[in-house]
Amino acid sequence: ETGVTQTPRHLVMGMTNKKSLKCEQHLGHNAMYWYKQSAKKPLELMFVYNFKEQTENNSVPSRFSPECPNSSHLFLHLHTLQPEDSALYLCASSRGPSGGKLFFGSGTQLSVL
Amino acid sequence: QQPVQSPQAVILREGEDAVINCSSSKALYSVHWYRQKHGEAPVFLMILLKGGEQKGHEKISASFNEKKQQSSLYLTASQLSYSGTYFCGTELLSGGGADGLTFGKGTHLIIQP
């Protein structure tokens, strides 16, 4: 148990569906992140939030839309995804925006049909 | 700015040593090391913030050569529990470390009895 909880653990969706991934951290951290992990590529940084403000968008397609309502919660809204978006989506948090170790959630395994 | 890891994979007998390297083409603010077991989230091992810094964790240690912009992870007298994929993550000096971690492709380590 890392203190970072992600739901759901598994998600299957069609290309026309809209779904959301949820991440919650109970560590009092101020920075939260979304990473994508697929078999063909390493851990890819998608979004960075520091104190609820988005500070990094790593050229992610607009079909992925993050939301950070407070420093404990992070969402990733998904719509009109492509099969190549199937991957493990990992949420992480750290105490601050730099030099802090990441605590990862267990991830959401997403399959797009 | 993705760091380059080598080797891609290592197969060892229990008790043998291994070295995993991570290098960057840009000046680094920090280097992190994580281990991920199959089906689990990456787990933090250590962080190196200064050039020449060495840190240790049980029989796993790491060094950071600031001039060469590279880090090495040393696993001595390997145990079966060390099996997994090792990732280095780097924060760039240009971003003050606030741009989030960029990970290498990982090194698959298999320890055989």
Side-chain angles (χ1 to χ4, degrees):
Chain A
E1 180 61 47
T2 64
V4 180
T5 304
Q6 287 188 245
T7 54
R9 290 295 305 273
H10 302 274
L11 178 63
V12 179
M13 58 187 290
M15 293 169 63
T16 58
N17 291 157
K18 287 184 180 181
K19 296 286 184 183
S20 296
L21 310 185
K22 180 182 176 182
C23 176
E24 184 175 0
Q25 57 97 358
H26 309 278
L27 302 168
H29 288 168
N30 294 310
M32 296 188 77
Y33 313 80
W34 280 115
Y35 280 89
K36 174 184 177 183
Q37 187 174 35
S38 58
K40 297 180 181 178
K41 294 185 177 181
L43 284 158
E44 297 175 74
L45 179 63
M46 299 175 73
F47 302 104
V48 180
Y49 277 84
N50 291 321
F51 297 94
K52 303 186 297 179
E53 298 296 321
Q54 184 177 315
T55 58
E56 189 76 12
N57 176 336
N58 231 13
S59 304
V60 180
S62 59
R63 56 186 184 269
F64 295 91
S65 174
E67 179 190 0
C68 189
N70 55 62
S71 56
S72 297
H73 293 86
L74 185 64
F75 295 90
L76 188 62
H77 304 299
L78 316 170
H79 63 98
T80 59
L81 294 191
Q82 305 298 312
E84 59 265 28
D85 296 323
S86 298
L88 179 67
Y89 288 85
L90 289 161
C91 171
S93 70
S94 66
R95 203 175 343 177
S98 60
K101 67 180 184 180
L102 297 184
F103 290 78
F104 283 90
S106 299
T108 295
Q109 186 65 53
L110 174 67
S111 296
V112 181
L113 305 178
Chain B
Q1 294 104 358
Q2 179 184 53
V4 177
Q5 278 187 244
S6 64
Q8 290 187 2
V10 183
I11 301 175
L12 297 175
R13 292 279 183 198
E14 201 172 3
E16 292 181 336
D17 302 340
V19 180
I20 301 172
N21 299 305
C22 174
S23 63
S24 171
S25 59
K26 294 184 180 287
L28 297 175
Y29 178 85
S30 70
V31 179
H32 298 220
W33 286 96
Y34 291 78
R35 177 173 62 208
Q36 185 178 29
K37 294 184 178 288
H38 184 70
E40 299 180 8
V43 174
F44 173 83
L45 292 176
M46 64 192 75
I47 180 174
L48 301 107
L49 288 171
K50 297 178 188 176
E53 186 172 15
Q54 286 189 299
K55 285 206 167 183
H57 176 74
E58 296 179 345
K59 294 179 181 176
I60 301 175
S61 61
S63 63
F64 181 19
N65 187 318
E66 192 173 24
K67 285 185 179 179
K68 292 184 178 180
Q69 296 170 178
Q70 68 182 35
S71 175
S72 294
L73 184 71
Y74 307 94
L75 300 104
T76 57
S78 58
Q79 306 169 12
L80 294 175
S81 61
Y82 288 179
S83 292
T85 302
Y86 289 78
F87 294 96
C88 73
T90 56
E91 292 176 305
L92 297 182
L93 192 61
S94 58
D99 297 338
L101 276 180
T102 300
F103 286 93
K105 291 186 177 181
T107 296
H108 301 285
L109 179 64
I110 299 172
I111 310 295
Q112 296 177 335

